[in-house]
Amino acid sequence: MDASRQEGMAIGRITEVHGPVAIIACEPLPSLGQALRAAIGQDSCLFEVHQQLDAGHVRAVALHHTGGLQRGTPVYDTGAPLQTLVSPSCLGRLLDLFGNPLDGGPPLEAGRLSPIRKPPTPLRDAIGTGFVLETGIKAVDLLCPFVKGGKTGLFGGAGVGKTVLIMEFMHAIATIHQGVSVFAGVGERIREGHELWHEMQRAGVMAQTAMVFGQMDESPGVRFRVGLSALTYAEYLRDSLHKEVMFVMDNVFRFVQAGSEISSLLGRMPATVGYQPTLATEVAEMQDRILSTRQGAITSVQAVYVPADDMTDPAVNTILGHLDTTVILSRSQAGKGIYPAIDVLESGSKPMDRHTLGERHYTIAEAVREHLARYHELEDVIAMLGVEELSPRDRLVVMRARKLQRYLTQPFWVTAAHTGLRGVSVPLTQTLKDCDAFLAGHFDDVSEERCYMQGAMEGAS
């Protein structure tokens, strides 16, 4: 937010500065969540009030770099909580927390200021999750399907393909469903953000995407609030423009880390494994705003970094409780060249039932999972004794499971420039038809190589 947007009035002075946290002597005392402003030379520094220490002092977290800030600096009340500028022209743009352009383009036009913290839509106006939302990605649509208006988490350690999979989902929303996407880059490395921006342009979906970045080098206050700012854009596109919105957040764990950093700066006693005592509340404040109304749907995909690949981490467990679908990305799958590196036995979806999916989809998905599970059980036996020692039935299951495992790989549109393989998108009906044929033995004579990194299996039998 520019200083010129809200002039406000002087309410006090800074008495102490501790990195990104300042103690401000105020009269009158601003309310919690209020946005305050102080001048640093020709620039402005915004603060968000987090604590009222006594009758005359507040502790506030800076949302800009505090270099040059000093004691005695006058502080002004902006007259509002933190706000961002929402506008129909946000699509195709790269923005910061406050709606200012980061792409070198002109400011947003015909916009209005909207607070980034607000209560979720009332229950009477919300609607439940809907039908399966096809992505064209075989492993996802078959075994851990998305639902319209639901929340999906991509879990995995560093380098297993979370960001690539997210970009493919955004491509699917734009090309298959003609919807729009809002991307929240929470704690992104500047290099990664730059590459992602250009990849989205090359993939041809940037025109239907708004990207909101709070980068790794910025204040923890920015990284903590940028997800809520992006969610404000998603709500605006849903409610005002009646769009079907994909809300993408990369990475939720960095949002939790920023909250932990702020909690320590505010002097709170750490809780389990050093996380902030307010962890569950902070995660719920964001997750409960991701829902659908009669005006439109917000479907969410969230990348979640798993520290040390430990799924029992308290932050990971807290996030898991809010999700409808969990997609677990496995380092061992990536090591075998299986991309997307989805561990289909660990991944799952709450709507994975006959009522939601239909009898045929559910039956085929369970049969595929059973084949892959039996193959996983027998891997150690095969490694020690060889596949020849298995019973004829188990050999047949293993052969089909290996082909199914390779069939569930596919080249992505967003990686075509790097891999040289043209991306493919496979309709769910085709995926079900192919998997049914694998299970029935129609592809028993087809080599495993023919199944790898392909689209549909038409003409392979």
Side-chain angles (χ1 to χ4, degrees), residues 313-361:
D313 183 87
V316 174
N317 269 325
T318 301
I319 296 163
L320 265 172
H322 291 273
L323 302 175
D324 300 299
T325 300
T326 54
V327 179
I328 311 295
L329 298 176
S330 162
R331 204 172 300 282
S332 64
Q333 292 289 88
K336 296 174 185 175
I338 304 297
Y339 291 103
I342 298 173
D343 187 332
V344 296
L345 299 180
E346 293 295 325
S347 303
S349 180
K350 289 179 182 175
M352 193 79 181
D353 55 51
R354 287 182 172 88
H355 175 72
T356 305
L357 303 183
E359 184 67 34
R360 184 166 185 264
H361 184 170

Side-chain angles (χ1 to χ4, degrees), residues 37-372:
R37 177 176 57 82
I40 307 177
Q42 298 299 313
D43 298 320
S44 288
C45 179
L46 271 181
F47 296 88
E48 183 182 18
V49 177
H50 278 256
Q51 290 177 337
Q52 294 180 342
L53 300 177
D54 54 37
H57 293 82
V58 298
R59 183 177 277 135
V61 174
L63 289 107
H64 296 92
H65 292 293
T66 53
L69 205 63
Q70 57 189 8
R71 295 171 66 184
T73 300
V75 175
Y76 300 86
D77 189 351
T78 65
L82 291 177
Q83 300 179 100
T84 191
L85 184 65
V86 294
S87 163
S89 61
C90 66
L91 292 174
R93 301 301 302 275
L94 186 65
L95 307 167
D96 69 5
L97 170 68
F98 308 110
N100 298 316
L102 295 174
D103 53 12
L108 297 183
E109 299 175 355
R112 60 178 173 81
L113 290 172
S114 177
I116 66 171
R117 295 187 69 193
K118 60 183 75 170
T121 301
L123 285 174
R124 64 179 180 273
D125 298 327
I127 59 175
T129 54
F131 51 83
V132 171
L133 193 70
E134 288 191 36
T135 64
I137 301 171
K138 294 179 285 188
V140 171
D141 290 345
L142 177 69
L143 297 169
C144 37
F146 287 15
V147 285
K148 181 180 177 181
K151 301 172 198 164
T152 297
L154 306 182
F155 293 81
V160 293
K162 295 187 297 296
T163 302
V164 170
L165 201 51
I166 273 178
M167 290 166 59
E168 193 70 9
F169 291 144
M170 293 166 71
H171 183 274
I173 284 293
T175 57
I176 299 175
H177 302 285
Q178 286 74 51
V180 299
S181 299
V182 176
F183 179 89
V186 182
E188 287 279 314
R189 299 176 185 89
I190 293 175
R191 171 187 56 79
E192 287 181 339
H194 183 268
E195 289 176 357
L196 179 63
W197 178 36
H198 286 285
E199 289 287 354
M200 297 305 293
Q201 290 175 323
R202 278 194 289 267
V205 297
M206 189 63 208
Q208 297 301 313
T209 303
M211 305 183 79
V212 186
F213 276 93
Q215 295 168 146
M216 189 175 278
D217 67 326
E218 296 193 70
S219 156
V222 170
R223 288 181 272 121
F224 188 54
R225 293 302 188 206
V226 69
L228 295 181
S229 178
L231 190 49
T232 303
Y233 282 97
E235 291 171 331
Y236 170 77
L237 291 169
R238 178 195 67 193
D239 298 336
S240 299
L241 303 185
H242 309 296
K243 298 283 190 179
E244 300 296 317
V245 184
M246 170 78 82
F247 174 68
V248 181
M249 193 168 178
D250 187 5
N251 188 300
V252 184
F253 185 77
R254 293 199 187 113
F255 160 75
V256 171
Q257 281 184 312
S260 179
E261 195 173 334
I262 287 174
S263 183
S264 298
L265 290 166
L266 296 177
R268 297 191 189 118
M269 184 71 72
T272 311
V273 198
Y275 286 111
Q276 62 269 41
T278 52
L279 171 64
T281 304
E282 290 168 1
V283 172
E285 179 186 4
M286 181 182 64
Q287 298 287 358
D288 284 353
R289 285 173 58 186
I290 303 172
L291 45 75
S292 302
T293 68
R294 292 172 182 83
Q295 280 73 41
I298 297 179
T299 304
S300 172
V301 178
Q302 305 165 30
V304 186
Y305 168 71
V306 180
D309 293 337
D310 178 16
M311 290 296 292
T312 65
D313 183 87
V316 174
N317 269 325
T318 301
I319 296 163
L320 265 172
H322 291 273
L323 302 175
D324 300 299
T325 300
T326 54
V327 179
I328 311 295
L329 298 176
S330 162
R331 204 172 300 282
S332 64
Q333 292 289 88
K336 296 174 185 175
I338 304 297
Y339 291 103
I342 298 173
D343 187 332
V344 296
L345 299 180
E346 293 295 325
S347 303
S349 180
K350 289 179 182 175
M352 193 79 181
D353 55 51
R354 287 182 172 88
H355 175 72
T356 305
L357 303 183
E359 184 67 34
R360 184 166 185 264
H361 184 170
Y362 180 82
T363 302
I364 292 173
E366 286 301 295
V368 169
R369 197 182 293 273
E370 286 171 11
H371 275 65
L372 294 173

Side-chain angles (χ1 to χ4, degrees), residues 420-441:
L421 298 173
R422 184 175 179 272
V424 295
S425 180
V426 183
L428 176 58
T429 52
Q430 184 64 48
T431 301
L432 293 175
K433 178 182 175 183
D434 287 345
C435 288
D436 197 19
F438 274 110
L439 297 168

